[in-house]
Amino acid sequence: EVQLVESGGGLVQPGGSLRLSCAASGFTFSSYSMNWVRQAPGKGLEWVSYISSSSSTIYYADSVKGRFTISRDNAKNSLYLQMNSLRAEDTAVYYCARWDFCTSYPYLAVWGQGTTVTVSS
Amino acid sequence: DIQMTQSPSSLSTSVGDRVTVTCRASQSISSYLNWYQQKPGKAPKLLIYAASSLQSGVPSRFSGSGSGTDFTLTISSLQPEDFATYFCQQSYSAPQTFGLGTKVEIK
């Protein structure tokens, strides 16, 4: 079964750090680009970061650039998001999602269940 | 960044009704438009990709259409399990962006 399982969320004070992990199974992780997408309470979806299969290409949303770092370990079938200098507005459920393609059309076909990050004093 | 505008933001409807949700892009995105369904407390689920292609396992009552800037998600006959929030997403250019969602509620 194709599966993504996030972990590492929790309560952190403003200015603090947190590292999220996403464990992949049931598919060849090293062949796929991956994304982090977040959803603030009661709000819509916001793309956070993208990493290509070989880590050669990385993108960040402007809202997290310079504070968050995406990485992956293909040997461990794992995706990571290091979050530093956290702010109240980073409070959200964080999802990892697989970047799939059909011909040239990309989409997020597989999602994890999400991990909750709460930034509060 | 490309802005995605969904309408309506919510709608109340009944089982068996035909439902249409619209998504408009701030610039042409060809057919790089995807639709997701999200139920409370759950992750989004892909329904439609490339504007009109049905994801494997998704019931045929769901369909998508459009290209350029205007897109539509249609549910031909709403079922009880379809009450959820629906999001569009453009994958034409980085950063990928989502619409704010359309909540389909029971009348």
Side-chain angles (χ1 to χ4, degrees), chain B residues 38-90:
Chain B
Q38 187 179 35
K39 297 181 179 179
K42 300 295 186 182
K45 171 189 173 183
L46 177 69
L47 298 176
I48 302 283
Y49 62 92
S52 61
S53 295
L54 192 68
Q55 171 70 345
S56 175
V58 174
S60 59
R61 62 181 179 274
F62 291 93
S63 64
S65 64
S67 67
T69 60
D70 294 315
F71 302 87
T72 299
L73 171 70
T74 300
I75 310 172
S76 60
S77 177
L78 199 71
Q79 298 302 299
E81 60 267 31
D82 301 336
F83 291 96
T85 300
Y86 295 84
F87 294 94
C88 61
Q89 175 215 23
Q90 67 83 15

Side-chain angles (χ1 to χ4, degrees), chain A residues 17-75:
Chain A
S17 298
L18 214 52
R19 189 195 195 205
L20 306 184
S21 299
C22 171
S25 60
F27 64 98
T28 305
F29 179 72
S30 59
S31 296
Y32 290 88
S33 298
M34 298 293 295
N35 295 264
W36 287 99
V37 177
R38 69 184 180 183
Q39 187 171 34
K43 301 296 185 182
L45 300 166
E46 180 189 16
W47 169 78
V48 173
S49 186
Y50 161 96
I51 186 167
S52 63
S53 57
S54 64
S55 304
S56 59
T57 302
I58 287 175
Y59 298 119
Y60 297 101
D62 287 345
S63 57
V64 307
K65 201 173 295 182
R67 300 187 298 122
F68 290 12
T69 302
I70 192 172
S71 63
R72 64 190 296 162
D73 185 336
N74 287 340

Side-chain angles (χ1 to χ4, degrees), chain A residues 35 37 39 43-47 49-50 59-62 95 99 102 104-109 111-114, chain B residues 1 30-34 36 38 41-46 49-50 55 87 89 91 94-100:
Chain A
N35 295 264
V37 177
Q39 187 171 34
K43 301 296 185 182
L45 300 166
E46 180 189 16
W47 169 78
S49 186
Y50 161 96
Y59 298 119
Y60 297 101
D62 287 345
Y95 297 100
W99 200 229
C102 180
S104 66
Y105 294 98
Y107 47 88
L108 298 168
W111 296 67
Q113 86 288 352
Chain B
D1 298 0
S30 182
S31 295
Y32 290 82
L33 190 284
N34 308 311
Y36 301 86
Q38 187 179 35
K42 300 295 186 182
K45 171 189 173 183
L46 177 69
Y49 62 92
Q55 171 70 345
F87 294 94
Q89 175 215 23
S91 56
Q96 54 186 287
T97 46
F98 294 86
L100 293 181

